[in-house]
Amino acid sequence: MKALGSGLWIDTAPIRIVGTRLSVNMAAVRLDGGGLLLWSPLELTPERHAEVQALGAVEQIVAPNLFHHLHAASWAAAYPGARVHGAPGLQKKRADLRIDRVLGAATDADLEAFEEVPIDGFRLGETALFHRPSGTMLVADLVHNVGRPEGLWTKTYTTMAGFYDQVALSRVLRWTAFSDRAAARRSIDRLLAQPFERLLVGHGDVLDSGAREAFEGAYDWLAPSPRLLRASP
């Protein structure tokens, strides 16, 4: 686990997506009581378990969307006292996964250090988390920051999909993952209203500076909501 400061750590593992060689992240966040929140859990290996356990007991587990959930059940089994927060619709997809609370459903006292931002109109069912103490926004698949990955196919695919060497959302998701673009735009605007300084993404590197500008630029293709257009002079 790599420390990012302010009670926040990240771990990374390789992942294959449509044949590409990319990376996937999970985060551990210190809670006020000393326990941990585990966001987008990676595979529970003995080495990873030991590293997390050295930081503290896992009390909250977050599966932030309908893709980033594969290893949540193994961590929930390892920490049966932990509460599992799942994306809307995840219980239908993962009947084997105990979900104690649906993200964005209601305010949760156990997550008072976080602001939850559900992304409406997004088929992946994602809820972004803003961790106030560290000024960090955690997003799973809303944007990618993969840099310049190696491998001919990986470079070709990420270039064609529009996220090679830039903070961006894959064009594949732009075309297929939004059922209501106006609702999604309103949610993105709510996310951008949060005072975050760091951006932690599901795939790629953390942005420690220029995070807000990079995220805003990644959504310049999504038309402003009608409400904002009406408010314009």
Side-chain angles (χ1 to χ4, degrees):
M1 301 292 291
K2 176 184 177 182
L4 298 178
S6 303
L8 179 65
W9 296 264
I10 187 174
D11 198 7
T12 302
I15 189 172
R16 299 291 296 270
I17 301 175
V18 293
T20 62
R21 297 179 182 271
L22 298 173
S23 63
V24 60
N25 299 321
M26 85 171 188
V29 187
R30 176 82 66 207
L31 299 170
D32 289 343
L36 298 176
L37 176 144
L38 209 60
W39 175 87
S40 186
L42 296 177
E43 181 182 2
L44 178 58
T45 63
E47 296 79 12
R48 185 167 287 125
H49 189 193
E51 287 190 61
V52 170
Q53 187 63 32
L55 300 176
V58 175
E59 296 179 356
Q60 312 291 334
I61 298 170
V62 175
N65 70 20
L66 297 180
F67 282 178
H68 286 248
H69 59 81
L70 296 179
H71 303 292
S74 57
W75 285 94
Y79 293 93
R83 294 191 70 206
V84 180
H85 308 261
L90 185 56
Q91 186 64 75
K92 182 178 180 180
K93 186 174 183 178
R94 288 288 305 277
D96 62 309
L97 175 62
R98 168 177 57 86
I99 295 178
D100 301 302
R101 173 179 172 268
V102 176
L103 286 166
T107 303
D108 192 298
D110 293 325
L111 302 184
E112 60 183 8
F114 297 85
E115 181 72 28
E116 298 183 17
V117 185
I119 307 302
D120 299 328
F122 188 46
R123 290 191 174 95
L124 275 61
E126 180 157 347
T127 293
L129 289 186
F130 172 53
H131 182 232
R132 298 187 190 91
S134 68
T136 302
M137 183 68 71
L138 293 88
V139 301
D141 288 312
L142 291 175
V143 292
H144 321 303
N145 184 32
V146 303
R148 300 179 177 183
E150 297 181 352
L152 178 60
W153 169 240
T154 301
K155 180 178 179 179
T156 300
Y157 179 85
T158 55
T159 299
M160 292 174 59
F163 63 102
Y164 179 82
D165 198 25
Q166 61 179 316
V167 179
L169 178 66
S170 166
R171 291 191 181 102
V172 175
L173 292 181
R174 291 192 201 180
W175 297 334
T176 65
F178 291 88
S179 59
D180 187 334
R181 292 196 171 199
R185 180 72 248 183
R186 289 191 292 270
S187 296
I188 295 301
D189 292 338
R190 287 195 294 271
L191 186 155
L192 287 167
Q194 302 303 318
F196 64 97
E197 300 174 354
R198 176 190 289 127
L199 182 67
L200 196 159
V201 297
H203 303 283
D205 297 330
V206 176
L207 277 80
D208 287 312
S209 63
R212 175 187 305 283
E213 294 78 8
F215 190 95
E216 186 172 17
Y219 275 88
D220 60 5
W221 59 273
L222 188 61
S225 67
R227 177 182 60 82
L228 292 179
L229 289 174
R230 288 197 298 271
S232 300

